[in-house]
Amino acid sequence: MKYFIRILPGVFALLALPFAGCSGSTTEGAAGAGGGSGAGGAAGTGGAAGTGGMAGAGGAEGTATGLWTGSGVDGPAAPWSICFNLSEDGSVLTMVTDSEQPCYLWALQIELNCSGQSSYKQDIPVENGEFEVGAEGQDLHITGTFDGNTASGDATILVGGEPCSGSWEATPSN
């Protein structure tokens, strides 16, 4: 029994030791067995936040396909009218096959006041949003540029060796 009473304070100290440093609001540790005191460890540094990604670029408005028409009263060839059909993939002006539509059986049809009507049946390539029929100095020269849902250009038709010309603008009609 004497032996048990001698080790009882040591056992009690060992059982109480784990509870000694579990609470408190200071950074100092609890007194260690043997009388020394220890300091608590330093807090760790937080990680850096990640950076956000870049927003994607907006898409460009595509050019409407199908039938385009225009008319106007400007220029020496006024009044004028124009119609053409842009293919589904936007690569050519192509023949309209619906008999109820303007330009029926023509890829491009333009009417200038001083020349009457001029029509072009073959497919007309569209490259980088632009097209051209004929060349300057020929009987027929028509240029055009697409800009979203507007197309514009110039037309010159030689009538009796004299140029009949005008600027044009068209929009999708469907």
Side-chain angles (χ1 to χ4, degrees):
M1 182 81 167
K2 203 178 194 184
Y3 179 72
F4 182 72
I5 292 178
R6 270 193 203 169
I7 65 166
L8 187 61
V11 170
F12 179 76
L14 288 174
L15 290 173
L17 187 61
F19 299 105
C22 290
S23 67
S25 61
T26 66
T27 59
E28 292 183 6
S37 71
T45 304
T51 56
M54 291 178 53
E61 181 182 346
T63 301
T65 60
L67 186 65
W68 289 62
T69 58
S71 63
V73 291
D74 61 328
W80 53 264
S81 65
I82 188 169
C83 64
F84 51 86
N85 186 57
L86 184 61
S87 65
E88 285 188 34
D89 66 1
S91 66
V92 294
L93 301 185
T94 191
M95 181 173 50
V96 176
T97 57
D98 182 353
S99 63
E100 301 296 315
Q101 297 291 331
C103 299
Y104 175 58
L105 295 179
W106 301 104
L108 179 137
Q109 188 174 44
I110 190 163
E111 185 173 344
L112 302 173
N113 186 43
C114 52
S115 70
Q117 182 173 309
S118 187
S119 304
Y120 198 79
K121 193 168 206 133
Q122 296 175 345
D123 284 352
I124 302 165
V126 176
E127 295 178 12
N128 299 320
E130 298 180 350
F131 66 88
E132 183 174 23
V133 176
E136 287 206 43
Q138 291 185 346
D139 289 346
L140 175 67
H141 183 230
I142 302 171
T143 61
T145 302
F146 290 96
D147 185 13
N149 280 333
T150 303
S152 59
D154 296 305
T156 301
I157 299 171
L158 295 180
V159 180
E162 293 296 316
C164 174
S165 62
S167 296
W168 61 268
E169 188 171 288
T171 56
S173 65
N174 48 359

